[in-house]
Each structure stands twice: as C-alpha cells, then as structure tokens.
Amino acid sequence: MPTKAFLTEDEMPRQWYNLAADLPSPPQPPLGPDGNPVSPDMLAPVFPMNLIEQEVSQERWITIPEGILEILWRWRPSPLHRAYALEKALGTPAKIYYKNESVSPPGSHKPNTAVAQAWYNKEFGIKNIVTETGAGQWGSALAFACSLLGLHCKVYMVRISFDQKPFRKIMMQTWGATCIASPSNQTQAGRSILDQMPDTPGSLGIAISEAVEEAVTDKSGETRYALGSVLNHVMLHQTIIGLEAKKQLQKMGEKKVDIVIGCAGGGSNFAGLSFPFVNDKINGANIEIIPVEPFSCPTMTKGPFIYDHGDTAKMTPLLPMHSLGHDFIPPPIHAGGLRYHGMAPLVSQAIIEGLLTPRAMHQLECYQAAVLFARTEGIICAPETSHAIAATIQEANKAKEEGKEKVILFNMSGHGLMDMAGYQSYFAGQLVDYELPEHEMGDALKAVENLPKPKIVKTGKW
Amino acid sequence: MPTKAFLTEDEMPRQWYNLAADLPSPPQPPLGPDGNPVSPDMLAPVFPMNLIEQEVSQERWITIPEGILEILWRWRPSPLHRAYALEKALGTPAKIYYKNESVSPPGSHKPNTAVAQAWYNKEFGIKNIVTETGAGQWGSALAFACSLLGLHCKVYMVRISFDQKPFRKIMMQTWGATCIASPSNQTQAGRSILDQMPDTPGSLGIAISEAVEEAVTDKSGETRYALGSVLNHVMLHQTIIGLEAKKQLQKMGEKKVDIVIGCAGGGSNFAGLSFPFVNDKINGANIEIIPVEPFSCPTMTKGPFIYDHGDTAKMTPLLPMHSLGHDFIPPPIHAGGLRYHGMAPLVSQAIIEGLLTPRAMHQLECYQAAVLFARTEGIICAPETSHAIAATIQEANKAKEEGKEKVILFNMSGHGLMDMAGYQSYFAGQLVDYELPEHEMGDALKAVENLPKPKIVKTGKW
C-alpha cells in the first residue's frame, strides 16, 4: 500500500507548460495609463528582459535551464501522497491525492518561481532584487533564492506584519536579505504616506509602490523588481508542480483524475498544479478544476472580469482579471495570502472560458478541515492551504453520497509552522466567519464598474 | 552533478541496527535504589513489555514492523544531500554530505522513535501515552505519532517553555494532544513542588517525575510513559537514519566515509546516524565519529562515566552514562535539546571504548555556522543541529589545511523554524559564549563522585 510516489532526477520535468499557448482566445495585453497596451520595452525598468519575454510568450513548452533545475532538485520533486488516512476518516470511496509543496526549505511552493526569477535576473546581469511581502511567505522564498544565487534581496514588508510576525523577518535576515517595514523613509512613496499618516499599519499596495519605485529609480541599472504571483511567468514557473504530479499519478496507477483543487489568492499555486490538467481538459478530458477562495475576499466568485491595477497605488499597468477593485480591503482572515483584490489574468481568463469552477469557503470550515488533515495525514497546513483541503473534503463527501470512486488531487501548498497564531485563535474560539455585507459588496463592485472591459468573451470552444 | 540521493520504498531499510550486540563489553543494566539491577518486570508499569524487550535485546538486527514502515514512508527516506555550495564557500577539498531529517512533519528526527514507540504501545493494548517535553520538539513528535495511530497523548511541558513557546503547545494541540504546564496540580509530585515553590519555572526533571507518576499510578493499565532519547530502544529506532545514509552514499558513488558527525544532547540523532558506522569501525574501518556538545553542558568531554539518575527527582533507575550529575543546571543556551546532564548509555560506553571522539563547541561559532549553512545550502537549522554543522566546518577546514579529499557526513537533525528567537538574539548581538567556571565544574563533578561506578572499562578490542 504505497502512500506516496517518487520521481528520480532523470524523471523530473525539463520544461514548463505555458497555458497562454492553448487558451481559446489569446491573453489580452496589460494596458498603460493611456489605455494603450504596454509594450515589453516599457516594462524594462521593472523586470529583466528575459522574464518579460517569458511574460508575453506564446510557446507551449519552455525549457527549464539546467541552473534552475539544479537548485530545484534540492527539494524537488515534491512528494505526491495518497491520503489513505483522510479517506478512511471520511469514509469516502474517493481516492484523495495531494502534492506536498511544504517540503521546500521556506515551506511553500513560492521558491519554484523565486529561484527561477532570481536565476533569470542574474543571467541578465542584475545584482539586486526588490520585492514586497505581506504575511512574509513570498519575501522568505525570494530571500532564500537570492541567497543561493548570490544576489542581494530587499523586501518591503507591510509594517503591521513586520511588527506582528518578527520571525518571518528573521528568516529573511538569516538568508541574508534586508527586510524593512513599509511605509519607510527610503522611497518617495513611503515618505509621502508617512507625512500624511505617520502611524499607518501599511498595506500591500503601499509596499508594492515602494519596491517598484526603488527598482525603477535605481541608477546603476543592476536592480529589478520581482512579483510572487499574478503574472504569466510566475504561473509558468509553478507548472512544474502539476507536471510532476501527472507523472507521479501514473506511478501510483491512476489513469485519470476527476477533480483538481487548489487555493487561489493571486493564483500561482493553483495554476502550478492545475494548468497541465487544464490542458487535458482543453483536449477533451472530463475534469472539474476548482480554485478556492475565501468568502471574505470573493474575487473569482463575485468580482467582474475587468482591467484593474495590481496594486492600491496604481503603480502597475492595468491587468485583465477578476477583481474586487484595487481599493478593496478584505476582512482580517488568517489566510493572508488569499487577501488579494485581483486574480492572475491566466486564471481569470480560464474562468471566463468555463474551464474552471471557482468556489468560496468560510474560515471556520477551513480550520476544521486543517485540523482533521493534521490528525490524519500528519501535516499542519498553512491557513491558505486549508481552503483547498476544505473543498477536497466537500468533494470527497459528495463522492460518498453518489457512491462514486472519484480521483481527487489537491495542492498542499505550504505548511503552517509559521502560522500557529491562527490555530491558537481557532482553538480559543476567537475566529468568526466573514461574508461581505451586500452594501459593501455593492460598493466594491461600483468602484470597478467604470474600469475598461477586456475584449475576451467565453468562446466555449475547447 | 546530482545534489542528493533518493531511495525507493523497496530500498528502505527493513531492520534496525542494535549496537548493543557489537560493543566489546555488553551494556550494564540499570540499577534500582538498592543498587541491584532493575529487571524487565520492574519496568513494566512504565513501559510496555515489547519495548522493554527491545531495551534489553542483544540481537544485532531487529525487524521493523510493516505498520511502522508504512508511516515512516510518509516522509522517509529522508534526503541525503551533497553540500556543494557549502564546500565551495569553504574552499575545501572535502566532500560534505548531510542527512536531512528536517523533512518530517514535526521537523526533526524525533518522529522516527515516536512512531515506533506509539506503534508498540498500541500493539500492547495501551491507549494513553504520557511524556514530558522541554523545548517542545519531542512532545510535538509524540503528539504527531499518537495522532496518526489513534492514541491519546499527554505532555507535561516545562512551565517556562509552555509560557515562552506557545506555538509548540499549539502544534501539539493541533495533533490532538493534551499539553499542560509542569509543575501542575495533576500529580503528587507537581502539587508538592507547587506547595514549596508556587512561582517555579519548572524543569525537565520535574516534568519527567510528573509524567512517570501519571503512568505508573494509572489504574486502568492502559497508560504508559515514553522517553524521546537516552534509552537503548530509542537509539535503535533512530538507526534507520544511518542505514539509509549508507545506501544513499553508495548511490552517490562513495565507497568510504572518513568522518561522521552529529550533535548530542541525550544522544539519539547522533546514534541514529552514527551507529551503523560504529559497526563498520568495530569491523576495522578507519572512521572518525564525533558527537558534538555545547561547552556549557560538557557531559561527554568533562563528565565522568558513572551510574546516575536520568532525572532530577530520581524517579528513574540509575543508568550507566557520562553525567554532570542529575542536579546539574546548564546555562540558558538556545540549543535546549543539548541541555541535558547525562548521555545515552550506548553512546557513553562507545566513548569509553574509544570508538567516538566527543567535541565541545561554543554557541556563537555554532550560530555563525548555521547562518553560513542557511546562505549556502538554503536550510535554516535548529540550534542543536548547528553544533554538528560547526564541527563539520572545522573538519572541512582541517581537510583544506591538509590538502585531503575527505568524505564528511553529518546529521541535519532538524529545522529551526520554531526557533527563530535564537537567531533573532544572535543577529541582535545578544548571545554570549558560556563556559563553566572551574569551581562550578568542580562542584558538579564532586556531586557525582560518590555515585556507583559501572564495571565497564576500555577493552580496546575492536
């Protein structure tokens, strides 16, 4: 009764899968402030050109450079586990598999793209990478990657997280990164905010503005910005998860998967696992593919598909995506990584095409699922990941009602060892379920209604 | 350039290695309060008989039950990594390998014996396991194991750690264990201490007394005690580490190891990696085997080989071991797992026989090594583990001076994600090196001088 599947180094995927090549309508370009498409050249002060080329690539398969594979191999392939104990606890005929991305040294899937981005920046001659981080998961992963590749990494961390989660900051410091609270005195954007609101707790929007400003104003030409989700090249780098999973499922004797599930904040871990299966679906396979979000930040289930900014301060181009508006501030759920107003354009467009069936979950049901998972499978998951587990349990229970032996695969995107405060609040009975009141939802939707509309409509041709 | 070696399920070791079978002199039995050997029957209220039989076994190879293998397989075999990046940073001709035990869900090697002990207890009909924990690593591992096997687990956690490290407690709670601060009102030993010292921060000695008392006074017959280190059966269960490592080194093309290194508090992770190599040494191989301890708790390098109690309250039998005395209280270094007055009898006897060459390290050098390791190999290690890394760096530098291509293997026994407070203090310049003043060392040694002497002397016959 094997509980997991391995892959040798020789069997590791050698190419990433690019969904942009297979979507029925090609992805729409980002738009500038004037409403015209942003050309690759205009992004050159922000990202190195080799990543910009990936961002706009229409190639289906993109070779993973050996230098990146060598580093990924330190913890990849990640295990694919069969969740026998969870299945037994649920009494379900469904077969549940999960891909365990928590085995990376920073503890999540984030290093898959952090290593790739750091490697491409280094290839392009960049010496410093600047980014922002909210809860700290992305900042930690980029600090880790830059450390291994000998780049300097600077992280603007939202002040409230900086103060409340000192250990994430110490992780980054241990990997040699500079981590400072945002807003800071080091950028024009930061100083301007501090003048107006000296006691602000900060926000991801402000931190992005600071990081982008530092990258584009650096005179040396050796500094660039990095983003941990949303963009096409980030989704691309994460597809190694799903490509490994497909090979591992074959080794476990599975010929077909019925349901694929991942939590989705900006969309990267979900895309990483699911896009290779979206490809199968486009080619005729009958698979249900479910991105899961919190009820308190219902980007995919309630937000329109619209052109919106990626950040609050409107420093980024307009991106075609499901959005609740760049001013939207979600309630303080513990799954910080799912508190984002937008969604990756590639995920958003796959939703419009009917390839994905998004679902929203409540916080308490997610923690309940996380605890059951810990007590059966033994792994304490991140609060974000608990959303995927809760949806998996719903599907396993449905399979039980229907008496069907479905095959379910979900992404165990990260462990929760740095997030035990959330579990503490849960056990203490201090957590509540948030759902946006109708008037707040209305306000959010009103804020986005005048934004430009992408030209993509559902083709249904797949 | 493969950086790690894998093993398939079929290649996993199927037997543990028992060093007791090969030591030149057989291990001495534990002694009771009357100075006479403790018979297996006398231990029956504390441990299940199947584990007591393992404790006194002289069989060289003991088959690992399938039920245990199935659980270990969830995260085992642990990776064996070649530390190319660390080698490069040191400019050493040495080849450095490390066994990465941090990949278990609780984050260390401890589950190797926690799962085995929980499984044997369950086989024997036991329903509740009681233990103590200091920093929380062992309590977490046992909570994890009991959760997977459906046993109830109760952990007496030293009060100061209970208060200072709330997240370890929440981990145990997530895995369904009951974790209470010690001293507590739930045992005679706890109440008696609280009467005298209501504000005591507690100690490992007190917590052991409470856990043992609860096990032996339980009327149901369904409760036993478990210990996470020191005892022979614990060392046995950990040997899967070294047995896997030997197969993995072969896969990496290594025919011979020159130096094997592990940190040692009670001795279990060190024994787990090294005992299979001690076997090679007994059979003629030229290997240097180094257990590493802190200068502030120099059990192996300064403590005599003596019969001493395992706990402060003298609840345990007298064990033949290197000891600084059961009343010894080491300085507050961050490596809590190395702050133990004694050492596993099997490790102690191997020292007496000249099979091991213990070494003491200072705290600051260990943190320096940990940071270099994080920035080259990418893994943030536990403060305990940093002692093994610091000794490895010493040996790699020595190989450089000598111009020799030595093969060094060390045990990466656990990650430090729950121990970031230590790194924080290190970066803030708040840590100091402790070495016991001569008079304190003298007091400690005086305290043990009247204890019974084990009859084992160095045979040198191996």
Side-chain angles (χ1 to χ4, degrees):
Chain A
M1 194 165 85
T3 59
K4 72 175 179 189
F6 69 94
L7 291 180
T8 65
E9 189 173 5
D10 290 343
E11 293 169 322
M12 266 181 78
R14 290 293 198 272
Q15 295 176 307
W16 291 301
Y17 169 64
N18 183 10
L19 181 62
D22 288 319
L23 279 177
S25 308
Q28 296 291 292
L31 302 183
D34 57 0
N36 289 321
V38 172
S39 69
D41 281 352
M42 292 166 73
L43 292 170
V46 185
F47 301 109
M49 192 50 72
N50 47 13
L51 283 177
I52 295 170
E53 284 163 8
Q54 269 189 0
E55 182 66 19
V56 299
S57 172
Q58 294 284 316
E59 292 291 317
R60 180 172 292 116
W61 297 100
I62 294 179
T63 297
I64 308 175
E66 279 296 318
I68 293 174
L69 279 172
E70 269 179 22
I71 296 180
L72 297 181
W73 173 246
R74 291 195 189 186
W75 74 93
R76 304 205 71 84
S78 69
L80 178 84
H81 300 267
R82 169 93 183 261
Y84 282 107
L86 177 62
E87 291 170 17
K88 194 176 165 193
L90 296 171
T92 179
K95 296 199 263 182
I96 302 173
Y97 291 91
Y98 57 98
K99 188 73 172 152
N100 183 2
E101 290 294 304
S102 75
V103 297
S104 77
S108 80
H109 67 291
K110 290 286 185 193
N112 296 330
T113 187
V115 167
Q117 290 190 52
W119 190 89
Y120 281 111
N121 270 280
K122 187 176 183 180
E123 276 287 297
F124 196 69
I126 300 305
K127 296 205 162 58
N128 314 296
I129 305 185
V130 193
T131 195
E132 74 292 326
T133 200
Q137 192 67 269
W138 165 244
S140 303
L142 192 64
F144 161 82
C146 285
S147 178
L148 301 189
L149 284 156
L151 299 175
H152 185 256
C153 176
K154 186 167 177 181
V155 182
Y156 286 92
M157 186 170 187
V158 176
R159 175 171 291 282
I160 189 167
S161 298
F162 186 90
D163 292 338
Q164 287 180 348
K165 298 195 174 188
F167 294 155
R168 277 283 178 198
K169 177 179 62 190
I170 305 297
M171 283 175 76
M172 295 181 230
Q173 194 173 356
T174 304
W175 279 313
T178 305
C179 176
I180 60 171
S182 166
S184 76
N185 279 314
Q186 304 198 5
T187 64
Q188 185 55 44
R191 285 187 295 269
S192 159
I193 301 272
L194 285 174
D195 280 349
Q196 298 161 41
M197 303 180 285
D199 297 325
T200 177
S203 74
L204 206 52
I206 297 168
I208 295 178
S209 304
E210 291 207 279
V212 174
E213 180 187 322
E214 175 159 339
V216 301
T217 58
D218 181 82
K219 297 271 190 302
S220 70
E222 294 178 342
T223 301
R224 291 293 185 280
Y225 169 75
L227 190 63
S229 192
V230 179
L231 299 178
N232 299 348
H233 66 274
V234 180
M235 306 297 124
L236 179 78
H237 300 156
Q238 294 292 359
T239 57
I240 194 166
I241 303 172
L243 295 167
E244 283 179 4
K246 288 184 99 169
K247 291 191 178 193
Q248 288 167 314
L249 283 165
Q250 280 179 351
K251 290 206 170 191
M252 297 290 276
E254 298 298 346
K255 288 176 184 152
K256 184 179 179 322
V257 176
D258 298 296
I259 304 169
V260 176
I261 297 172
C263 65
S268 77
N269 96 73
F270 167 75
L273 179 68
S274 71
F275 279 5
F277 296 93
V278 173
N279 183 11
D280 292 348
K281 186 163 181 169
I282 289 171
N283 291 320
N286 180 20
I287 310 177
E288 188 174 3
I289 303 175
I290 308 173
V292 189
E293 66 186 5
F295 261 115
S296 53
C297 190
T299 313
M300 297 178 291
T301 52
K302 297 212 174 150
F305 184 53
I306 208 86
Y307 262 116
D308 198 3
H309 294 282
D311 67 320
T312 318
K314 303 198 246 185
M315 293 280 292
T316 75
L318 288 158
L319 299 170
M321 59 184 180
H322 282 274
S323 175
L324 296 166
H326 54 264
D327 289 325
F328 179 74
I329 297 174
I333 56 166
H334 274 281
L338 305 184
R339 295 178 68 242
Y340 184 65
H341 70 275
M343 178 52 59
L346 286 174
V347 173
S348 295
Q349 190 174 331
I351 293 170
I352 292 297
E353 290 284 5
L355 290 160
L356 314 177
T357 47
R359 181 176 301 181
M361 302 292 298
H362 276 303
Q363 177 163 257
L364 290 175
E365 185 174 354
C366 293
Y367 269 103
Q368 192 178 17
V371 170
L372 178 62
F373 188 72
R375 292 181 185 176
T376 51
E377 295 300 312
I379 301 173
I380 298 178
C381 73
E384 292 81 3
T385 309
S386 71
H387 290 69
I389 298 173
T392 296
I393 291 173
Q394 285 184 337
E395 289 302 315
N397 287 335
K398 191 174 155 199
K400 187 179 177 179
E401 285 162 23
E402 297 172 351
K404 288 184 183 165
E405 196 193 75
K406 292 180 186 173
V407 175
I408 305 173
L409 168 67
F410 77 88
N411 202 5
M412 227 307 295
S413 55
H415 67 61
L417 299 187
M418 307 306 287
D419 303 282
M420 295 312 296
Y423 284 87
Q424 189 170 30
S425 301
Y426 172 69
F427 288 125
Q430 293 162 348
L431 294 192
V432 294
D433 282 337
Y434 298 96
E435 191 160 9
L436 290 176
E438 218 160 289
H439 68 276
E440 277 190 35
M441 198 64 235
D443 289 349
L445 298 183
K446 202 171 166 189
V448 294
E449 71 184 13
N450 290 324
L451 291 166
K453 309 275 183 298
K455 288 173 194 145
I456 297 165
V457 292
K458 180 172 179 170
T459 65
K461 288 181 185 166
W462 47 268
Chain B
M1 194 163 86
T3 59
K4 71 176 179 188
F6 68 94
L7 290 180
T8 66
E9 188 172 7
D10 291 342
E11 293 169 322
M12 265 181 79
R14 289 293 197 272
Q15 295 176 307
W16 291 302
Y17 169 64
N18 183 10
L19 181 62
D22 287 320
L23 279 177
S25 308
Q28 296 293 293
L31 302 183
D34 57 0
N36 288 323
V38 172
S39 70
D41 281 352
M42 292 165 73
L43 292 170
V46 185
F47 300 109
M49 193 49 74
N50 48 12
L51 282 177
I52 295 170
E53 283 163 8
Q54 270 188 2
E55 182 65 19
V56 300
S57 172
Q58 294 284 315
E59 291 292 316
R60 180 173 293 116
W61 296 100
I62 294 180
T63 297
I64 308 174
E66 279 296 317
I68 293 174
L69 279 172
E70 270 179 22
I71 297 180
L72 296 181
W73 173 246
R74 292 195 190 187
W75 74 93
R76 303 205 70 85
S78 69
L80 177 84
H81 300 267
R82 169 93 184 260
Y84 283 107
L86 177 62
E87 291 170 18
K88 194 176 163 193
L90 296 171
T92 180
K95 296 200 264 181
I96 302 173
Y97 291 91
Y98 58 97
K99 188 73 171 151
N100 183 2
E101 290 295 303
S102 75
V103 297
S104 77
S108 80
H109 67 291
K110 291 285 186 194
N112 296 330
T113 187
V115 167
Q117 290 190 52
W119 190 88
Y120 281 110
N121 270 280
K122 187 176 183 178
E123 276 287 297
F124 196 70
I126 300 304
K127 296 204 164 58
N128 314 296
I129 304 185
V130 194
T131 196
E132 75 291 326
T133 200
Q137 191 69 268
W138 165 244
S140 303
L142 192 65
F144 161 82
C146 285
S147 178
L148 300 188
L149 284 157
L151 299 175
H152 184 257
C153 176
K154 185 167 178 180
V155 182
Y156 286 93
M157 186 171 187
V158 176
R159 177 171 290 282
I160 190 167
S161 297
F162 186 89
D163 293 337
Q164 288 180 347
K165 298 195 174 188
F167 293 155
R168 277 282 177 199
K169 176 179 63 189
I170 305 297
M171 282 176 75
M172 295 180 229
Q173 194 174 355
T174 304
W175 279 313
T178 305
C179 174
I180 59 171
S182 166
S184 76
N185 279 314
Q186 305 198 5
T187 65
Q188 186 55 45
R191 286 188 294 271
S192 158
I193 301 270
L194 285 174
D195 280 349
Q196 298 161 39
M197 302 180 284
D199 297 325
T200 177
S203 73
L204 206 53
I206 297 168
I208 294 179
S209 304
E210 291 207 280
V212 173
E213 180 187 323
E214 175 159 340
V216 301
T217 57
D218 181 81
K219 297 274 191 298
S220 70
E222 294 179 342
T223 302
R224 291 293 185 281
Y225 169 75
L227 190 64
S229 192
V230 178
L231 300 178
N232 299 347
H233 66 275
V234 180
M235 306 297 125
L236 179 78
H237 301 155
Q238 295 292 359
T239 57
I240 194 167
I241 302 171
L243 294 167
E244 283 179 5
K246 288 183 101 169
K247 291 192 177 192
Q248 289 167 313
L249 283 166
Q250 280 179 352
K251 290 205 170 191
M252 298 290 276
E254 298 298 346
K255 288 177 184 151
K256 182 177 180 323
V257 176
D258 297 296
I259 303 169
V260 177
I261 297 172
C263 66
S268 77
N269 97 72
F270 167 74
L273 179 68
S274 71
F275 280 5
F277 296 93
V278 173
N279 183 11
D280 292 346
K281 186 163 181 168
I282 289 170
N283 291 320
N286 180 19
I287 310 177
E288 188 174 3
I289 303 175
I290 308 173
V292 189
E293 67 186 4
F295 260 115
S296 54
C297 189
T299 314
M300 298 178 290
T301 52
K302 296 211 174 151
F305 184 54
I306 208 86
Y307 261 116
D308 198 3
H309 294 282
D311 67 320
T312 317
K314 303 198 246 184
M315 293 280 293
T316 74
L318 287 159
L319 299 170
M321 59 184 180
H322 281 274
S323 175
L324 296 166
H326 54 265
D327 289 325
F328 179 74
I329 298 174
I333 56 167
H334 273 280
L338 305 184
R339 295 178 67 243
Y340 184 64
H341 70 276
M343 179 51 60
L346 286 175
V347 173
S348 296
Q349 189 174 333
I351 293 170
I352 292 297
E353 290 284 4
L355 289 160
L356 314 177
T357 47
R359 181 176 302 180
M361 302 291 299
H362 276 303
Q363 177 163 256
L364 290 175
E365 185 174 353
C366 293
Y367 269 103
Q368 192 178 16
V371 171
L372 178 62
F373 187 72
R375 292 181 186 176
T376 50
E377 294 300 312
I379 301 173
I380 296 177
C381 72
E384 292 81 3
T385 309
S386 72
H387 290 69
I389 298 173
T392 296
I393 291 174
Q394 285 184 338
E395 290 302 316
N397 286 335
K398 190 174 156 199
K400 187 179 177 179
E401 285 162 23
E402 296 172 350
K404 289 185 182 164
E405 196 193 74
K406 292 181 186 173
V407 176
I408 305 173
L409 169 67
F410 76 89
N411 201 4
M412 227 306 296
S413 55
H415 67 61
L417 299 187
M418 308 306 286
D419 304 282
M420 296 311 296
Y423 284 87
Q424 189 169 29
S425 301
Y426 172 68
F427 288 125
Q430 292 161 349
L431 294 191
V432 295
D433 282 337
Y434 298 96
E435 191 160 8
L436 291 176
E438 218 160 291
H439 68 275
E440 277 191 34
M441 198 63 235
D443 289 349
L445 297 183
K446 200 171 167 189
V448 294
E449 71 184 13
N450 290 324
L451 291 166
K453 309 275 182 300
K455 288 173 195 147
I456 298 164
V457 291
K458 180 172 179 169
T459 64
K461 289 183 184 163
W462 46 269

